Amino acid sequence: MTASNAEQGADFRGPLDVTRAATVVVDAQDTVIGWSPAAERLLAYKPQEIVGRSLAAFLAPGPTPSVPPLPPPFQGNAIRTARHRDGRELIVATAMCPLPGAGTAARVLVATELQDLRLWESRLALLHGLATQSPLGLAIYDTELRLTWCNAMYEREIGRPFAEFRGTRADQLYADGRFVTTGHPPTLDAVMHHVLDTGEPYLDLHFQGRPPSDPETEHVWSCAYYRLQDADGHVLGVCEDAFDISDRYKAQQRLALLVEAGRGIGTALDVTVTAEKITEVAVPEFAETVTVDLARAVLEGEVPSAGGPAAMSLVRVARCSAEEADRETRAGRPGQQPPPPPPRAGRPGQQSPPPPPVNAVSDSPVEYPAGSPQYRSLSSGGLVLDDTALVVPLRAGNSTLGLVTFLRGTGSATFDSGEVALADELVARTAVSIDNARRFTRERTASLALQRQLLPQHVPEQSAVDLAYRYLPSDDMTGVGGDWFDVIPLSGTRVGLVVGDVVGHGLQAAATMGRLRTTVRAFAQMDLDPVELLSRLDDLVAQSVEEQWGELGMPHGTDADVTTGATCLYAVYDPVSRRCVMARAGHLPPAVVEPDGRLSFPLLPAGPPLGIGGLPFESMEIELPVGSLLALFTDGLVEARDRDIDHGLEILGQVLSDRNASLEVLCDRAVAELLPDGSTADDTALLLVRTRELDTSQVTEWELPAELVAAGHARDLATRQLHQWGLEELSFATELVVSELVTNAVRYAEGPIQVRLIRDRTLLCEVADRGHTSPHLRHSGEEDEGGRGLFIVAQLVQRWGTRYTRSGKTIWTEQALPATR
């Protein structure tokens, strides 16, 4: 557009306006008595050539029949043919207006070319269409950013007459809206001020919000902002035009979601990781919460059996919500110990088995009631849409592997047909990947089953210690070996720490190790002290060796491929007394680093390896200051072909002496320093623990005389202590427990009675006496007058048991704390 055209385009006067049109003044006989310059420009007659002549000399007397009449508001005027001075005929639009008064001038005629009028009509139609019919929302804001005008579309979006919100600021009309396009000021106020200040327009900014006329649905508009000025350049305000592109924006989001899904889903041959990936992809862009429930058989590498919802056992393997998506802790949640690294982690060219998923929520059974969307989906085998819930089955071939549930908040829009199709496509891709991972899992289940026996898959948090661990088997093919470690929660907030080494490698050594680890856990739960535990374990190993030789029909001592001999170190740490009791069977002693950095290897009596027999085991008890580091390890860590054990222990001590490093860092450094190439000729296990101490406010203890009144006194003391701890809800059960245990101690034991309460993750109640006879749970007959006390105690607590000491025994119970409100 040229500058002149732009100037004319900005002139809103009509072509028949007297200031613009050709104007002719005639008398009562239609004789021209006045001729305007615009008339001269239109027909080329000079005033002296036309004044005094009849109007008919240049203008036909009637309307031109071949041209349609003028539409409103021009009805009453006429389209006529005019003769140009050069002889040409022009089609003009005319308007005649009588002049009042008694003078010579009777009427005034205004005329313009018909094409100019048609152009003006188009401009009027355009303005009228923008104001009333355009799908584009238009609004004008003054320099204070107050709304001064809007078209009908904008008015419909607001849902109220313009008069009711005139003068309102834009950020008040869309208070919760936001721009989803980056690279510009973030708010409506800032964008408009920038346009006012600089004159620089903004085009195609995507704004997301909820219009007042549809507050339940998120809309997206493509917006443009430009400054308005008058003819003299004075700034009048800002014009906003906005076009609702919600459907297009959703389609783009769906396409982007499919692209992201294609990049992420199916990249790992792990069922749980694949399930987690769809939750990560779909939250929060597609749904507020996504859960994946798989048939338990799928996790085991098997095909689920058919039979409908009742026959399918589902477990929750993945869940992601919008809140979790905002946190950056999905790779390792606070308080959760990381899983052990796979064998040969980081070794070039080696294929390592995938580690257990960090945020797995498997083993959580899920049952859906009849009539629920999930139940209906399992029954029908198809997807189910129920308000803000969309359930899509994971199907592979003719089998249903599980369900994916997409949930939106109650204030969100339901899933439309396009979103349902998108969810179906996402789940179909996921189902193929999960089925591939299931097949892979089935192929590796046999070899990895022993590895799951070898190491704890998840070590729960302990009040007694912080811990970290590493395990590297020497068997590359199966990923299993004969070394093991374990962390066992014991009564009284104590913890059992185990590390052991079975002679040999591979599946056979792992099978023996698995039996030993299970046996150690069973003995530890019986609260056996380290010496007695190792003695019993030694008997079992010796018996197992004799049975193996007998089955092979060989005399003992013959050279054969039979796993014999094992070493073990067992320690029990008490965070209340800070005492650690340990014993070893042919194993390397632990390393102890005190908080001040002093390193020592306690002179713990060695004892014979398990299964050898002949010498008794001995224990050592040491006091560990809070924050002490205790390292339990196997000889594969410190011994190598080119390095003796003493040198390896020296290197390990140097690594562990760094008091500022975390346990995880120390584990990594120890492996890096002692096994720099990541390979080892022997299996390697390393367990690091840093000791804690229970706060004195968590433990209270009383000594009572062995008198009949002791039970009542103990009840009062326990009740007062529970009130101080805010555990009044446990008062009734605790009174019964304390009363029964103290009464039994008074009746059947000797000497003073110690009562101790410990508030930890559970409430622990301990009653110690000098007797060595343990009470037994029994069912009393209908006519028995006693014998029901311990049965009642067992019903009130989670667990109970007996722990023997040198001076007597301790009966302990454990109660769950009330749920935090």
Side-chain angles (χ1 to χ4, degrees), residues 296-508:
R296 189 177 297 275
V298 174
L299 301 178
E300 300 168 355
E302 302 300 329
V303 179
S305 59
M312 182 173 290
S313 175
L314 294 177
V315 292
R316 176 69 44 81
V317 297
R319 179 186 183 278
C320 184
S321 65
E323 293 182 4
E324 294 170 346
D326 292 337
R327 299 194 299 263
E328 297 182 356
T329 55
R330 292 187 56 82
R333 298 181 179 178
Q336 183 177 10
Q337 295 295 337
R344 296 290 178 270
R347 182 178 177 184
Q350 287 278 326
Q351 177 66 36
S352 301
V358 174
N359 58 347
V361 289
S362 58
D363 295 331
S364 300
V366 179
E367 294 184 4
Y368 292 105
S372 65
Q374 291 82 0
Y375 189 93
R376 284 184 281 149
S377 179
L378 288 175
S379 301
S380 64
L383 61 84
V384 173
L385 177 60
D386 188 352
D387 197 17
T388 57
L390 175 60
V391 182
V392 185
L394 285 157
R395 295 190 59 82
N398 296 324
S399 300
T400 299
L401 307 180
L403 297 173
V404 180
T405 302
F406 302 90
L407 297 174
R408 288 181 175 174
T410 54
S412 303
T414 57
F415 297 92
D416 58 31
S417 58
E419 291 170 329
V420 171
L422 173 62
D424 197 23
E425 176 65 20
L426 284 175
V427 174
R429 296 186 181 188
T430 304
V432 172
S433 299
I434 287 179
D435 192 51
N436 289 337
R438 177 195 63 79
R439 296 171 186 270
F440 179 77
T441 301
R442 182 179 59 189
E443 296 299 324
R444 303 198 62 196
T445 296
S447 60
L448 294 182
L450 287 177
Q451 186 181 29
R452 287 195 293 270
Q453 294 287 337
L454 175 64
L455 293 176
Q457 294 301 296
H458 171 70
V459 179
E461 278 194 54
Q462 305 290 332
S463 299
V465 294
D466 294 316
L467 58 92
Y469 48 86
R470 294 294 184 269
Y471 171 73
L472 285 83
S474 61
D475 191 332
D476 295 331
M477 295 301 295
T478 61
V480 294
D483 289 10
W484 91 95
F485 67 89
D486 210 345
V487 179
I488 308 170
L490 302 176
S491 63
T493 69
R494 300 171 306 137
V495 62
L497 307 171
V498 191
V499 65
D501 184 357
V502 173
V503 176
H505 309 294
L507 297 177
Q508 191 168 7

Side-chain angles (χ1 to χ4, degrees), residues 702-784:
W702 308 284
E703 182 173 306
L704 305 175
E707 301 174 354
L708 292 178
V709 296
H713 191 195
R715 287 196 301 269
D716 295 338
L717 292 172
T719 300
R720 284 200 296 270
Q721 185 60 51
L722 291 180
H723 279 266
Q724 293 180 14
W725 284 339
L727 301 176
E728 295 87 351
E729 294 183 35
L730 301 181
S731 296
F732 175 75
T734 306
E735 285 182 10
L736 289 177
V737 170
V738 170
S739 180
E740 176 61 25
L741 297 184
V742 172
T743 299
N744 283 346
V746 171
R747 182 175 300 175
Y748 302 111
E750 303 173 356
I753 301 169
Q754 282 78 36
V755 179
R756 183 166 73 168
L757 292 181
I758 301 175
R759 177 176 59 83
D760 189 42
R761 289 180 170 82
T762 58
L763 177 65
L764 301 169
C765 176
E766 299 180 346
V767 176
D769 56 53
R770 295 184 179 178
H772 290 83
T773 303
S774 175
H776 296 282
L777 184 67
R778 66 186 180 90
H779 293 277
S780 300
E782 294 181 358
E783 297 181 358
D784 291 344

Side-chain angles (χ1 to χ4, degrees), residues 111-411:
T112 188
E113 283 195 78
L114 182 61
Q115 61 182 12
D116 291 340
L117 181 62
R118 296 301 188 202
L119 178 61
W120 171 246
E121 291 173 356
S122 299
R123 293 177 62 187
L124 284 182
L126 172 64
L127 293 176
H128 184 265
L130 288 175
T132 61
Q133 301 174 9
S134 173
L136 201 68
L138 292 173
I140 296 176
Y141 299 87
D142 62 16
T143 55
E144 300 297 326
L145 302 186
R146 292 186 296 264
L147 184 67
T148 59
W149 178 85
C150 72
N151 69 347
M153 184 63 195
Y154 192 96
E155 192 174 17
R156 285 194 295 271
E157 288 181 356
I158 301 300
R160 291 182 292 158
F162 172 65
E164 295 184 10
F165 58 91
R166 181 176 184 176
T168 306
R169 294 176 60 89
D171 52 6
Q172 293 174 327
L173 293 172
Y174 292 89
D176 297 328
R178 62 187 180 89
F179 285 107
V180 293
T181 304
T182 59
H184 56 81
T187 63
L188 275 170
D189 186 272
V191 166
M192 291 186 181
H193 271 298
H194 181 83
V195 173
L196 281 176
D197 296 340
T198 66
E200 176 187 353
Y202 279 116
L203 305 177
D204 197 26
L205 297 186
H206 292 180
F207 183 80
Q208 188 174 50
R210 298 173 184 264
S213 60
D214 188 15
E216 302 298 324
T217 307
E218 288 277 3
H219 287 244
V220 179
W221 295 268
S222 174
C223 302
Y225 300 90
Y226 44 90
R227 190 168 68 183
L228 299 179
Q229 300 175 196
D230 63 12
D232 297 325
H234 296 115
V235 177
L236 301 177
V238 177
C239 183
E240 172 192 64
D241 62 60
F243 182 68
D244 195 322
I245 60 169
S246 301
D247 292 340
R248 187 182 76 190
Y249 187 78
K250 287 181 180 179
Q252 292 173 341
Q253 282 186 313
R254 294 167 190 166
L255 180 60
L257 203 62
L258 284 176
V259 172
E260 184 180 356
R263 292 172 180 169
I265 296 175
T267 57
L269 287 174
D270 183 275
V271 171
T272 304
V273 171
T274 304
E276 288 169 356
K277 185 59 64 175
I278 189 175
T279 66
E280 296 171 2
V281 168
V283 175
E285 288 80 4
F286 185 73
E288 185 173 314
T289 302
V290 177
T291 60
V292 180
D293 304 322
L294 292 180
R296 189 177 297 275
V298 174
L299 301 178
E300 300 168 355
E302 302 300 329
V303 179
S305 59
M312 182 173 290
S313 175
L314 294 177
V315 292
R316 176 69 44 81
V317 297
R319 179 186 183 278
C320 184
S321 65
E323 293 182 4
E324 294 170 346
D326 292 337
R327 299 194 299 263
E328 297 182 356
T329 55
R330 292 187 56 82
R333 298 181 179 178
Q336 183 177 10
Q337 295 295 337
R344 296 290 178 270
R347 182 178 177 184
Q350 287 278 326
Q351 177 66 36
S352 301
V358 174
N359 58 347
V361 289
S362 58
D363 295 331
S364 300
V366 179
E367 294 184 4
Y368 292 105
S372 65
Q374 291 82 0
Y375 189 93
R376 284 184 281 149
S377 179
L378 288 175
S379 301
S380 64
L383 61 84
V384 173
L385 177 60
D386 188 352
D387 197 17
T388 57
L390 175 60
V391 182
V392 185
L394 285 157
R395 295 190 59 82
N398 296 324
S399 300
T400 299
L401 307 180
L403 297 173
V404 180
T405 302
F406 302 90
L407 297 174
R408 288 181 175 174
T410 54

Side-chain angles (χ1 to χ4, degrees), residues 338 341 468-472 485 663-665 667-668 671 684-687:
Y469 48 86
R470 294 294 184 269
Y471 171 73
L472 285 83
F485 67 89
L663 296 181
E664 293 292 337
V665 171
C667 279
D668 291 336
V671 172
T684 299
L686 172 63
L687 174 62

